[in-house]
Amino acid sequence: MAQAAGPATGGAQGISTPDLTQDGVEKAPTSTSPADRSTLQAAPATPQSATATATAEGNTGLKVGLTSSLISAHGIELKSAITSEATPLTVVIDYGDWHSTVIAASGSETLTEQHTYAELGTYTVKVTVTDSTNHVVASNQLTVTTWGSDYTPYGPTRLLDTRNGTGAAQGKIAPYTSARVKIGGNGAIPAGVTAVVLNVTVTNTASGGHVTAFADGDTRPTTSNVNFAPGQTVPNLVIVPVGANGYVDLYNGGWESVDLIADVTGYFTQSASSGYTPLAPDRFVDTRTGLGAAKGQVPGYGIFSTRIAGVGRVPDSGVTAVALNVTVTNPRSDGHLTVFPTGQSTPTASNLNFSAGQTIANSVIVPIGADGKIDIRNGGWNPADVIVDVVGYYSPESKGSYLPFEPERIIDTRDPEDPVHGPLAGRDYIAAELSEPGSGVTGFVLNATATNTRDNGFLAVAPDSNTQDEYDHNAAGPPLPPTSSTLNWTVGKTVPNLVQTHVDTGLVDFWNQSDGDIDLVVDVFGMYQEN
């Protein structure tokens, strides 16, 4: 079990979280090629061996069985079970990527080797066992596909709108039932996608409730992605696994029927495309100060462009998409924001819905235009301020591949059985150890929800510079509270948001940046791993 550090100022206590790194691969399939599939042939004659012939002289029962297990986004563990007489052997493992290993063995034994592929994909692994004494060679092979997934930008495109019958029958989704959304094979999205990025919006709500996104055919998890109150229109970004049949389910956990909208912005496949590089949140746009845009509110139905490529720690070329946290504040009317690559017509999709006077944030993953910019449109009638924080980017050069796994709740301060129970105090934080240093994990995909909020404020999520060992030995220094916001709330509201956070020491901090207590719920959906 990975342990979590307690906060510096008291309030919440330490938490325990599952070994999330292991959770990412514990359900990975294995590949096998039994020993009886081995091929046996005589070793060819060589000039160095006068006794070598083209005919086997013994050890005709020589064979090798293969089992490959996926141990990380790019890595495999190969077991080669050799059956042989007690004689020296030479074993050559060809991993199918121009890399091979030569091992000396003797008689029957099982060799265990690990290998990390530089690129995601499908490879043929071949093991050759040579008995030079008896001039016989046995070989076997199997096919392995790396477990991680890379990202391909797509859209934004609307796949579901129950208000008008897009992607499903027209009409609200009944309580405690699901809308099925076709992903694989829909438009130019290929079959076999492992996960999809959707902006899910619930609207026309008559009661409180939640929406849970999950792979069609899987058991519905107990986690939630979107929380809503009566009369609210609420969006949230989700990164959700896709079922083997190409569908995802959106479950209405409310007491009354609701309309659901789903816009796709990209998908993941088990082949090399764009990996992810997480960044410390970096503010690129703030219309209140003129950062990254003209100073002053964005007019109603107005569009502005901002440069992403070459700014801050984002490379000036090769970036295919950017991960953002977009906040609207001081809006003078109801409306929505749409974020899209420059050079593209404004899509019908929306990323963020807001009410007059509301401050609200939502995660966005959006392709970057050919000129290195993105456009943001204010879909409201009246002006609003816009803030954009960059939290990461996707590129072919990035090595972080995504491992989706079964959603898991790791923090719920409302739960009396949770090690951290009771509200998170104002200006306090929880530091949770989500991965072990050296595991190659660079970031996690989480959903954070603030509820039972006693004051206006925001949640900030950032990596902790301390190690778990430093916390355990009272040697940790106080981390600095981040200035960027992950989600914003007003008194009494329940607000969720997707969080793509990076990890340095394995610890992630969740800060309550308000003067009142809140309850905090954190669900984890997957991780990015470089090896």
Side-chain angles (χ1 to χ4, degrees):
M1 297 286 286
Q3 299 297 315
T9 59
Q13 302 299 312
I15 63 171
S16 295
T17 62
D19 186 346
L20 299 174
T21 306
Q22 184 59 35
D23 282 2
V25 296
E26 66 178 3
K27 294 184 178 179
T30 59
S31 300
T32 61
S33 184
D36 58 13
R37 294 184 183 175
S38 301
T39 60
L40 189 68
Q41 62 184 30
T46 62
Q48 289 78 18
S49 176
T51 61
T53 68
T55 302
E57 298 178 356
N59 203 7
T60 54
L62 181 66
K63 54 187 176 182
V64 56
L66 307 179
T67 301
S68 175
S69 302
L70 303 175
I71 58 173
S72 66
H74 292 249
I76 67 169
E77 181 176 86
L78 180 71
K79 292 184 180 295
S80 303
I82 301 169
T83 302
S84 171
E85 296 177 0
T87 185
L89 305 170
T90 300
V91 182
V92 178
I93 304 174
D94 182 346
Y95 292 102
D97 63 348
W98 306 102
H99 289 84
S100 60
T101 300
V102 181
I103 305 169
S106 180
S108 295
E109 63 176 296
T110 298
L111 306 177
T112 301
E113 295 291 318
Q114 295 182 353
H115 181 69
T116 300
Y117 290 97
E119 297 287 347
L120 299 181
T122 299
Y123 299 90
T124 299
V125 179
K126 183 176 182 179
V127 176
T128 303
V129 182
T130 301
D131 176 356
S132 297
T133 301
N134 292 289
H135 313 300
V136 65
V137 177
S139 61
N140 199 351
Q141 65 183 39
L142 52 68
T143 300
V144 298
T145 299
T146 48
W147 192 228
S149 297
D150 273 3
Y151 180 74
T152 299
Y154 186 90
T157 302
R158 183 146 292 173
L159 298 185
L160 174 73
D161 191 337
T162 60
R163 300 171 302 177
N164 59 25
T166 298
Q170 184 176 356
K172 287 186 172 183
I173 305 302
Y176 314 122
T177 64
S178 297
R180 295 173 72 243
V181 185
K182 182 176 176 59
I183 305 298
N186 192 343
I189 302 175
V193 295
T194 57
V196 64
V197 180
L198 298 173
N199 198 66
V200 176
T201 303
V202 59
T203 189
N204 299 323
T205 58
S207 70
H210 66 273
V211 175
T212 298
F214 60 102
D216 190 61
D218 284 359
T219 301
R220 175 172 52 87
T222 58
T223 55
S224 62
N225 298 91
V226 186
N227 298 74
F228 55 88
Q232 277 191 321
T233 294
V234 183
N236 200 18
L237 195 72
V238 303
I239 300 179
V240 58
V242 177
N245 60 1
Y247 283 82
V248 301
D249 291 348
L250 302 179
Y251 173 80
N252 172 18
W255 302 317
E256 302 288 344
S257 298
V258 299
D259 278 312
L260 292 175
I261 304 164
D263 302 316
V264 61
T265 62
Y267 56 85
F268 292 86
T269 58
Q270 287 177 281
S271 56
S273 184
S274 290
Y276 183 62
T277 298
L279 301 173
D282 190 1
R283 185 145 294 175
F284 274 41
V285 174
D286 191 337
T287 60
R288 300 170 301 179
T289 63
L291 175 66
K295 185 176 181 179
Q297 292 192 310
V298 183
Y301 306 121
I303 298 176
F304 73 92
S305 299
T306 189
R307 174 165 289 281
I308 298 295
V311 180
R313 294 176 60 194
V314 179
D316 58 6
S317 63
V319 177
T320 57
V322 63
L324 312 170
N325 202 65
V326 178
T327 304
V328 64
T329 189
N330 306 318
R332 299 183 187 180
S333 66
D334 296 353
H336 65 271
L337 294 184
T338 299
V339 186
F340 57 102
T342 55
Q344 176 180 312
S345 299
T346 305
T348 57
S350 62
N351 298 95
L352 179 62
N353 298 71
F354 53 85
S355 302
Q358 185 180 25
T359 297
I360 187 171
N362 198 26
S363 289
V364 175
I365 299 175
V366 61
I368 294 179
D371 60 357
K373 298 180 179 181
I374 60 172
D375 287 348
I376 301 176
R377 180 179 184 269
N378 175 14
W381 303 314
N382 289 311
D385 280 309
V386 176
I387 302 165
V388 178
D389 297 318
V390 173
V391 300
Y393 63 87
Y394 296 86
S395 74
E397 298 301 316
S398 301
K399 298 301 182 185
S401 296
Y402 186 57
L403 273 173
F405 46 85
E406 185 174 342
E408 191 160 2
R409 182 150 291 174
I410 59 172
I411 299 174
D412 189 345
T413 60
R414 306 166 304 175
D415 185 353
E417 296 184 0
D418 195 292
V420 179
H421 61 271
L424 175 59
R427 310 301 169 183
D428 207 347
Y429 75 102
I430 297 172
E433 185 186 32
L434 301 185
S435 64
E436 297 287 344
S439 64
V441 176
T442 59
F444 284 89
V445 174
L446 312 167
N447 199 71
T449 302
T451 190
N452 300 323
T453 53
R454 277 78 163 179
D455 189 18
N456 299 341
F458 66 91
L459 183 76
V461 182
D464 195 316
S465 59
N466 298 295
T467 65
Q468 181 64 48
D469 185 67
E470 288 173 326
Y471 275 106
D472 291 341
H473 293 87
N474 296 317
L480 294 175
T483 57
S484 59
S485 62
T486 298
L487 59 89
N488 301 70
W489 64 79
T490 54
V491 176
K493 297 297 184 182
T494 296
V495 182
N497 199 10
L498 182 87
V499 183
Q500 295 215 97
T501 182
H502 77 291
V503 289
D504 293 328
T505 65
L507 291 168
V508 175
D509 294 340
F510 299 88
W511 286 89
N512 172 11
Q513 294 293 62
S514 74
D515 291 326
D517 294 353
I518 66 168
D519 277 311
L520 178 66
V521 181
V522 179
D523 301 319
V524 61
F525 298 99
M527 64 186 183
Y528 292 98
Q529 192 173 31
E530 289 186 331
N531 58 19

